[in-house]
Amino acid sequence: MFGAGLPSFAIAGLTVGVREAVLVLIILVALYIGVVLWRMRHLGRPPTASASREAPVIAPEPAAAEAAPAAEAAPEAAVFAQTSARLGSELINDGLARELAQLREEVDVMRGELAALRTDMLQELAHLRATQTVSPIYGDAMQMAVAGYDAATIAERCGIARAEAELVVALARSQVQ
């Protein structure tokens, strides 16, 4: 049987297996996530008029002597609000300008790395094409020369002239150095 051998628990006269316990845990986690998401739906909304009704703002009535300074404070408050808004936008613009400069520097570095990788790739491609255009006999001769065989052995095994074998050995030595 599929569930045979799995431990089970007897709780209040009810036998609960591991499978049922895992299902109950999954359901509880899903309910918890649902409750959290339901509570989070209020976070993105602006406060409504009902919230302002709950906590009314009570402003004291200014006296006649206080009316003149309050009238003078209104333009100062407007100037302060404009200045703070301008400073805030300047700070944001400065931050964005710094971030843009940093991103440009990173792009320049990446372009340099890409150019270096491109030149490496082109060199390897040229080397690969050069090795593919070589006759298989001379390719084998070159591998033997790199392995350290002498010209006579290379000429004998590859079926080429001894002078050609000496040339291959000289080429292999020049590439190693």
Side-chain angles (χ1 to χ4, degrees):
M1 172 140 302
F2 182 71
L6 291 177
S8 61
F9 304 100
I11 299 173
L14 183 67
T15 303
V16 178
V18 173
R19 183 183 313 156
E20 289 85 11
V22 169
L23 287 174
V24 167
L25 285 175
I26 290 173
I27 291 170
L28 288 175
V29 168
L31 287 173
Y32 175 74
I33 290 173
V35 168
V36 169
L37 290 175
W38 184 77
R39 290 180 67 195
M40 286 178 59
R41 69 183 170 95
H42 296 293
L43 292 178
R45 295 183 187 164
T48 60
S50 63
S52 64
R53 275 188 266 141
E54 293 172 2
V57 177
I58 301 172
E61 295 183 18
E66 297 174 354
E72 293 173 1
E76 289 177 7
V79 170
F80 177 75
Q82 290 175 351
T83 305
S84 62
R86 183 176 43 85
L87 288 174
S89 65
E90 286 178 6
L91 284 174
I92 290 172
N93 288 340
D94 289 343
L96 290 174
R98 276 188 261 121
E99 188 174 349
L100 181 63
Q102 180 182 1
L103 288 173
R104 285 184 177 163
E105 289 175 9
E106 290 175 4
V107 166
D108 289 340
V109 167
M110 292 174 88
R111 283 182 180 160
E113 291 174 358
L114 183 62
L117 287 172
R118 184 180 296 133
T119 57
D120 289 345
M121 183 192 66
L122 290 175
Q123 287 174 352
E124 290 209 21
L125 183 63
H127 180 68
L128 182 64
R129 285 183 182 161
T131 57
Q132 288 178 348
T133 58
V134 174
S135 168
I137 295 172
Y138 289 107
D140 294 340
M142 185 61 107
Q143 287 179 351
M144 291 177 67
V146 169
Y149 289 95
D150 62 339
T153 308
I154 293 172
E156 181 182 322
R157 289 194 182 168
C158 293
I160 58 174
R162 185 177 173 121
E164 291 173 326
E166 288 175 358
L167 179 63
V168 169
V169 169
L171 283 171
R173 286 185 185 154
S174 70
Q175 285 182 354
V176 170
Q177 295 173 356

